[in-house]
Amino acid sequence: MRIFKFGGASVKDAAGIRNVHEVLKFTGYDDVLLVVSAMGKTTNALEAVVNNYFNKSASLQASIQEVKKYHNQILLDLFDDEKHAVFTDVSRLFGDMDYFLSHNKSPNYNFVYDQIVSFGELVSTTIISHFMQSVGIKNQWIDVRNFIKTDATYRDAGVDWEQTQKNISKNVKKKALNITQGFLGSDENGFTTTLGREGSDYTAAIFAYCLGAESVTIWKDVPGVMNADPRYFDKAVLLNQISYREAIELAFYGASVIHPKTLQPLQKKEIPLYVKSFVDPKLPGTSVSKGADLEPYTPCFIVKRNQLLISLSSIDFEFIMEENISDIFALLHKYRMKVSLIQNSAISFSVCVEDKFGNFNDLKTVLARKFKVAYNENVSLYTIRHFTDQAARLISDNKTVLLRQISRETMQIVTKES
Ligand code: ADP
Ligand code: ASP
Ligand code: MG
């Protein structure tokens, strides 16, 4: 079986969905599992709904209407007959969402978030499944929440591999086209969970691992993995092939073309990953596989924006040693900071983090009990893999460099945004 993943950009409108059909005609679809994300920027729009709900904002209804209208327009573009069952199925899903919002009693933001944002994927896959059926491609719509079981860490759920493996081996129909949602799972009580933003690539890898799939292809709006994000570097070049190790490094440092959790399950079973263009499926794209040399060999640039650089120094000249460092890490973990770089000296410790869950103020208060805390908000972290002097100059010139760190293959530079 092959696993294909189509992200939000590929299904952002009716033309995008028709294009998925074209891609499937080109690749074949007899023994394929399709993992699909929410359409376009729907997840952001549903995040706004959740925020409006918690803030008791007057815009709540308007934000819900916006999501419904967007999908309704896509339905009208795709289906001539307004009596088609897809209209009922989609409005039933939105009805469930309304029902949840008007009956929910939970004050847990992360829990509510998952119950709401998940409708993005449920609706997109419902539309796409019906559309494929309407153009003669028989398929099975499957509810991923019956397959991927997780813990109850809402918004960042951890996979229960044993249960998931059992469900997938037993119930995924082979020699068929299956269509399912990326990003979602469910906990042991059956509540919906999500795997972290941009997590649909990871969903594809979970299915691939559990099915021992032949390959995973993630279809993107770029020709493949490039040596830099082409949105920011106009001279970016395509990497024809890279190893799992290289891909993990690039993804971990923030090359958002692949979700960082995607690689590990694939690497374990040596399942090749192809990153290809949904605009032109004939192009070869990037192939990620075991031990493949980086081809072409070239510096790779990654930028993570909106990072936080925290510098701690001891109040009384006490050394920052193992014990302190382990205390600091326990706190970073507790406050769910994603650490991307650390550097320490005798009496100071710097860490560049991403405050995904908005916990920095609380963390700062706790840290200040023991350390002098300095910090810069909204810094950028540049990572150059296989750096050269010229590559380093390209990044540092005309910027205020706050920190620089060099290891054998990797240079990292933290800069202040001007
Ligand atoms: P999806 O629609 O699957 O969610 P994303 O938008 O998350 O896709 O990923 C594709 C985007 O990743 C591209 O549009 C590109 O701007 C960005 N990107 C970041 N780093 C790279 C890179 N090294 N190579 C290619 N694209 C990259
Ligand atoms: N729809 C989710 C998001 O936008 C998951 C994904 O697209 O991968 O984060
Ligand atoms: Mg995405």
Side-chain angles (χ1 to χ4, degrees), residues 107-232:
N108 179 341
Y109 180 91
N110 293 343
F111 168 79
V112 172
Y113 178 105
D114 282 2
Q115 309 320 302
I116 295 303
V117 297
S118 49
F119 283 100
E121 271 70 12
L122 292 169
V123 170
S124 74
T125 50
T126 299
I127 295 176
I128 288 164
S129 170
H130 275 293
F131 178 73
M132 293 306 159
Q133 213 79 36
S134 77
V135 292
I137 300 190
K138 273 214 180 84
N139 65 85
Q140 306 241 111
W141 181 88
I142 58 181
D143 187 332
V144 76
R145 297 169 298 180
N146 298 329
F147 292 82
I148 296 184
K149 298 305 287 186
T150 69
D151 61 21
T153 314
Y154 301 109
R155 287 179 75 194
D156 195 17
V159 173
D160 175 343
W161 283 96
E162 208 175 306
Q163 273 305 324
T164 301
Q165 174 73 69
K166 267 193 208 145
N167 296 339
I168 291 180
S169 317
K170 223 167 61 197
N171 294 322
V172 171
K173 200 166 151 201
K174 308 263 169 57
K175 305 276 173 225
L177 173 64
N178 297 279
I179 299 185
T180 199
Q181 308 77 39
F183 181 50
L184 316 183
S186 71
D187 67 13
E188 63 174 347
N189 293 315
F191 288 114
T192 305
T193 55
T194 64
L195 306 172
R197 283 303 307 263
E198 303 296 328
S200 297
D201 292 352
Y202 183 39
T203 304
I206 296 168
F207 274 100
Y209 178 90
C210 294
L211 290 163
E214 181 187 325
S215 62
V216 172
T217 307
I218 51 179
W219 297 92
K220 300 277 169 176
D221 59 357
V222 282
V225 181
M226 310 184 77
N227 76 326
D229 186 338
R231 268 181 306 183
Y232 304 118

Side-chain angles (χ1 to χ4, degrees), residues 8 13 85 176 206 228 244 269-270 279 304 339 346 348 375 387 392 403:
D13 52 22
I206 296 168
Y244 291 116
K269 289 206 174 164
E270 295 185 18
V279 183
K304 269 191 178 184
V339 176
S348 80
Y375 62 94
F387 61 92
L403 193 154

Side-chain angles (χ1 to χ4, degrees), residues 76-128:
L76 293 173
D77 291 346
L78 288 176
F79 299 90
D80 294 331
D81 177 7
E82 283 188 46
K83 295 213 170 56
H84 193 288
V86 69
F87 287 90
T88 330
D89 285 355
V90 169
S91 68
R92 189 180 306 126
L93 286 167
F94 283 129
D96 291 348
M97 185 174 94
D98 291 336
Y99 184 88
F100 177 86
L101 285 173
S102 55
H103 288 76
N104 171 60
K105 299 263 186 303
S106 171
N108 179 341
Y109 180 91
N110 293 343
F111 168 79
V112 172
Y113 178 105
D114 282 2
Q115 309 320 302
I116 295 303
V117 297
S118 49
F119 283 100
E121 271 70 12
L122 292 169
V123 170
S124 74
T125 50
T126 299
I127 295 176
I128 288 164

Side-chain angles (χ1 to χ4, degrees), residues 320-343:
I320 298 195
M321 299 294 282
E322 292 80 354
E323 203 189 312
N324 280 328
I325 292 179
S326 84
D327 288 350
I328 296 168
F329 266 94
L331 288 171
L332 291 170
H333 180 66
K334 182 172 169 198
Y335 289 90
R336 301 177 76 189
M337 298 286 156
K338 298 264 179 212
V339 176
S340 30
L341 179 152
I342 52 174
Q343 195 166 70

